[in-house]
Amino acid sequence: MTQAPTDPRPVDFRRHGFGPAPEIAAVREADGVIRVPTPFGPSAWLLTRHADVRAMLGDAESFRNGWTPADLPGDARDPRQITGDRSGNLLSLDPPDHTRLRRMLTPEFTVRRMRRLEPRIVEIVDDHLDALERRGGPVDLVSTYALPIPSLVICELLGVPPADRDEFQERTRRQLDMTASASEKAASAAEALAYMQGLVAAARRDPGEDLIGMLIREHDEDLSNDELVGIANLLLVAGHETTSNMLGLGTLALLRHPEQLALVRDDDSAVGPAVEELLRWLSIVNSGSPRLATRDVELGGVTIREGDLVSFNLPAANRDPEAVDDPERLDVTRRVTAHMGFGHGIHHCLGAPLARMEMTIAFPALLRRFPGLRLAVPDEEVSFDVAHPIHGLESLSVTW
């Protein structure tokens, strides 16, 4: 087996549809592992094949997540920062800190605990469908359905008071607006941080039945305010946009595959497998936090040296023909067993049960309320957000 070239090779990570970026798919079919430049300093190894990505994500001892720019040569920046403080941000932590926080949070994200939110999620979805029906088509499904529903679910989860929810949603929308300038994004992030600090302070005084309140009651002395703020902010950023983009892109995918849409609309037993297949086929999160190798490791015929950065591409891995039969075909009857739509290993998405529940409710509810749902613009006019690290649509004009 030949070693891949070690000189960094620029590649275009932009996606132009549902699949992985064409250049990344080509890397998977050729070298599998190459070295690429990064926007934050040193180059990184890029993994594109399912087996290599899964092996790396499953080996937390060999691939460290909690590195800092001081661990890297030159003038490196940290691409993982969500706020100015990593406290509570599981995406930037290794054991034992990661283990400690994850152990506290995991009981709050079991399927059984998430069932407490189910009636409220159904109510939120129905309220938005009622509003769409009153308004009539055409409508932008992204701004009227896909974006606001996960935002309100996060409000329920975090205990955002009803009086604050309109402002909370607007602030969240600004935070996730990729057309905003750097100064506008920084201002929105500062506002969000200040709000979360106030939310945690109020919960300290009077803990409710929401996630923050339960964490305070059960782990009061083990969690700092900064950690609680970091957890809340992570859930907002990681739990809102991902589900929103899945709802928008997933609806478009089903509209383009009407026989698959009919199964999701008409057969309750088809909904769960359909969600898993959409997670695999769409793979909206292109990558996760880059890892730092703690020892020399061989992956895909390449020797990754201690101190090297390692990145990975989930869309390419989830459509690897070595892992999935006929991977380019959307098949909602497929029994997907090993997709990495929620990552893998110790950093597997904590909120996966909640995201699955939201999609399992929102997809069939939309299709059953509007059985004639269809695009209100020519198919070629649907705009993908090609520059964003979380893949999605700029808008989705539909009618019925």
Side-chain angles (χ1 to χ4, degrees), residues 15 241-243 245-246 249 282-286 389-391:
R15 300 170 66 175
E241 189 174 16
T242 50
T243 306
N245 288 13
M246 275 297 303
L249 270 180
L282 296 172
S283 294
I284 60 163
V285 178
N286 292 323
I390 300 177
H391 195 44

Side-chain angles (χ1 to χ4, degrees), residues 208-220:
E209 296 300 316
D210 53 86
L211 176 68
I212 297 175
M214 287 188 286
L215 287 173
I216 289 171
R217 283 199 304 276
E218 296 173 17
H219 306 285
D220 185 17

